[in-house]
Structures are given as C-alpha cells and as structure tokens.
Amino acid sequence: MIWDYQPPWWLLGGNAQTIYSAKLAQRYVGAKPRWQRERWDTQDGDFVDVDWRNDEIALPDDAPLLVLFHGLEGSSSSHYAQAFAQEAKLRGWHMAVPHFRGCSGELNWAPRAYHSGDFEEVGWMLSRFQMLHQGPLFAVGISLGGNALMRWAGEVGHSANQVLQAIASVCSPIDLTASGNAIDTGFNKAVYARMFLATMKPRAMQKLAQFPGLFDPLELRAAKTLYAFDNVFTAPLHGFNSTDDYWDRASAKPGLSRIQVPALVLNARNDPFIPESCLPTQGQVSDLVTLWQPEQGGHVGFASGTFPADLQEMPWAVMEWMTQNG
C-alpha cells in the first residue's frame, strides 16, 4: 500500500495546511470523542494520565488497541487525536492516549517533564498496555511522540515484536537538530515557536515553584527560541549536557536502520518544521521501515475533501497500513 496525499485545490502550502488542519478542519463526525481517564503511578513516584476512548458500544476485549503518543504540548484533545479516535471507532478498535508528564492538565510531581527522546517512558507505557490488553497492539506517534516511539523501536530492536504488531510516526522531527533550527527561524519562530513557548514557559515556572533552584528563571524568561528553552529547561532536567547534546542523542533517525518491527514513517516534504533535506532515504532505514513522503501535507496538516475539509484520510491511511503490515 502506498498513500500520496493530495490537498484540496484551495489549501496550498505547508503553513496553510498546518494551520487550517489544526484550527478549522473537521476532526470527527457526529458526537465528540469521549475519554475515560486512568492514572498510572510511575516507578519514580510520579504519575501519567491515560485517556481511553469511551465508546458508545462495548468492544470485544481482544479487539485491536491503538496507542497514540501525542506531540509537543499535545493531549487527547489535539486535532489529530480526535481524528484518530474517529477512525478507531469506525474500525472497532480500542484506543488510548497516554499523556507525557505534565500534559494532561495537571502538573506532574517529579522534577522532570518530557522530551523528544523519552524512549524509556514510551517503552514503560507500551509494556503496561501489553499487560492490560488481550488483543493486538499498535502504536502511532505524532510529531514529538513519533520521534520518541521510533527512538524506542531503534533502541530495543527485535524485542519490539514481543510488545506490538506495528508502529507509525506522523510528521516526526527524527532529526531534531534540523527541525529545531527550522522552527527557530523566520516565520516559524514568530508563529510556531512563540505558540509553543507560550505554554511551555509558564509550565516550567510552575515546576520551578515546586522545586526552587531547579533552573535560572531569568534565563528561562529570556528564552525566545526552543533552542534557548531546551538549554535552560529540557536538556538539564533530563540528563543532557546542552540543547546540542539533547537534539543529537534524542533523534530517532540514526536508529531507523535498527528497527525490527513493521514501521511507517510519514513526513510531508513541505512540513514547515522539518526540512525536506533531513528526511531519511530508504538506504538509511531497515527493510521493515516504510517511508511515505508526499509532496504536500504540512505539519500534521493532511486535511482532505470538500470545504470545510476533514482530517479522516490520513488516520485511515496510517491505520490501514498498520492493519496490512502488522
């Protein structure tokens, strides 16, 4: 199966596709997806919140389960999570969205947050889902979540097959240095980096109130780029020496050649966040990795159909690929 996204004639350019899909495109048909929250205690005395799709009709216990790892500052309310929830419902799949620490609406307790290479956390979550669920397990990661998921798959190799059937990443910055530099430049810096920092900086200051002295608040407030924010907050809190060290070690791209579970890597070539020049080639990935690199799509911006357009084509294509290859 090969999917090549074609946008509506009136939705042109990576920025338009990105912004329209996030803000205006139809995410679901009928009732809004409903979630039932479950709290998991972590091994370090913290917690993560998991939202399970609460379907109107009970599904068999052994129906497939889709686990969706959200993107930077995302949640089960994100446009892509709701679109995948719609597709999971149509297929009769269970679905769950585990929130990275601090992203469920309540500040987590430990002196840490989450990051793009958080593969240990991803592995722990997947093992927990495997223990809880009787049927086939699939996972998709969006943007940051996809990098962490692919980072996990590259790290564990053949062991991934013992946990799940197939994985997919959607618009993930698998080369964090290239993507970080892109988002901190020009229009991207003015719009996207500013948007992310508007929520990340206040949450970091809440973390500082929990743990006085954790970082320098003056440096944090002065941060105007993701690079600067990561240098003050993300990198040191998670064991990295600097932003450069973090972006280098957390990138999933070098590990794609070691993946030993069916994996789909979907990246639009006009993604404002992810330069086309950094996308992987088939020679850089294992035989079990499929690359989809349509010319259009922006950053998780695959709206389709007639005006006002909807978001169902991409989730359908991704889940169809996983069904056929898992």
Side-chain angles (χ1 to χ4, degrees):
M1 173 186 176
I2 298 175
W3 178 66
D4 186 16
Y5 167 73
Q6 298 296 324
W9 65 267
W10 47 267
L11 191 57
L12 300 178
N15 288 309
Q17 291 158 12
T18 300
I19 296 170
Y20 185 87
S21 295
K23 301 297 184 181
L24 298 173
Q26 184 176 358
R27 306 174 181 195
Y28 49 84
V29 177
K32 182 179 180 179
R34 297 183 301 171
W35 305 97
Q36 183 173 341
R37 180 153 294 181
E38 183 174 280
R39 178 157 291 185
W40 291 355
D41 296 327
T42 64
Q43 296 172 322
D44 60 349
D46 205 354
F47 71 90
V48 296
D49 286 329
V50 179
D51 282 358
W52 296 83
R53 168 83 197 223
N54 189 4
D55 290 284
E56 297 83 355
I57 300 175
L59 298 173
D61 291 341
D62 61 354
L65 168 62
L66 176 68
V67 176
L68 184 142
F69 294 99
H70 62 78
L72 182 64
E73 297 298 274
S75 70
S76 61
S77 297
S78 297
H79 65 289
Y80 49 78
Q82 293 182 337
F84 270 96
Q86 170 79 13
E87 182 62 27
K89 177 182 177 181
L90 293 174
R91 289 176 180 266
W93 286 27
H94 300 281
M95 180 174 167
V97 179
H99 292 86
F100 291 117
R101 302 200 200 193
C103 291
S104 64
E106 183 176 337
L107 195 65
N108 64 304
W109 301 327
R112 60 156 294 174
Y114 68 104
H115 63 89
S116 296
D118 216 350
F119 70 91
E120 295 98 339
E121 190 96 317
V122 166
W124 173 76
M125 290 174 172
L126 289 174
S127 296
R128 185 77 177 264
F129 282 116
Q130 182 189 27
M131 289 188 294
L132 293 172
H133 185 63
Q134 299 179 16
L137 179 63
F138 298 84
V140 59
I142 310 297
S143 195
L144 175 150
N147 183 81
L149 177 61
M150 291 295 165
R151 180 77 174 79
W152 168 80
E155 189 73 20
V156 302
H158 289 285
S159 298
N161 286 302
Q162 302 171 19
V163 179
L164 41 61
Q165 275 62 51
I167 60 175
S169 67
V170 177
C171 298
S172 296
I174 53 177
D175 182 333
L176 289 169
T177 299
S179 297
N181 290 335
I183 202 170
D184 279 342
T185 304
F187 178 86
N188 290 345
K189 177 184 177 183
V191 176
Y192 303 120
R194 183 178 180 181
M195 175 190 69
F196 287 131
L197 290 172
T199 58
M200 293 165 65
K201 291 169 74 172
R203 191 177 297 162
M205 295 305 294
Q206 288 181 299
K207 187 60 63 178
L208 183 64
Q210 278 183 314
F211 299 95
L214 193 62
F215 58 84
D216 186 335
L218 296 179
E219 289 187 14
L220 191 285
R221 291 192 183 99
K224 303 297 183 185
T225 62
L226 293 186
Y227 183 96
F229 178 89
D230 285 346
N231 221 36
V232 177
F233 184 80
T234 313
L237 260 65
H238 301 103
F240 300 99
N241 297 325
S242 63
T243 296
D244 293 322
D245 181 45
Y246 161 42
W247 287 359
D248 180 58
R249 290 166 53 196
S251 294
K253 185 177 179 180
L256 296 180
S257 61
R258 301 192 299 271
I259 290 179
Q260 296 299 315
V261 66
L264 172 65
V265 178
L266 167 59
N267 291 96
R269 292 185 177 273
N270 71 340
D271 189 327
F273 300 0
I274 304 171
E276 179 180 356
S277 60
C278 77
L279 297 181
T281 64
Q282 201 61 55
Q284 295 174 312
V285 304
S286 82
D287 293 340
L288 290 176
V289 175
T290 297
L291 302 178
W292 283 355
Q293 297 175 354
E295 293 296 327
Q296 304 290 319
H299 190 74
V300 201
F302 300 103
S304 60
T306 57
F307 188 86
D310 63 62
L311 300 177
Q312 294 314 126
E313 184 178 336
M314 183 272 287
W316 174 87
V318 170
M319 292 182 69
E320 186 67 16
W321 182 92
M322 291 196 294
T323 299
Q324 293 181 13
N325 291 273

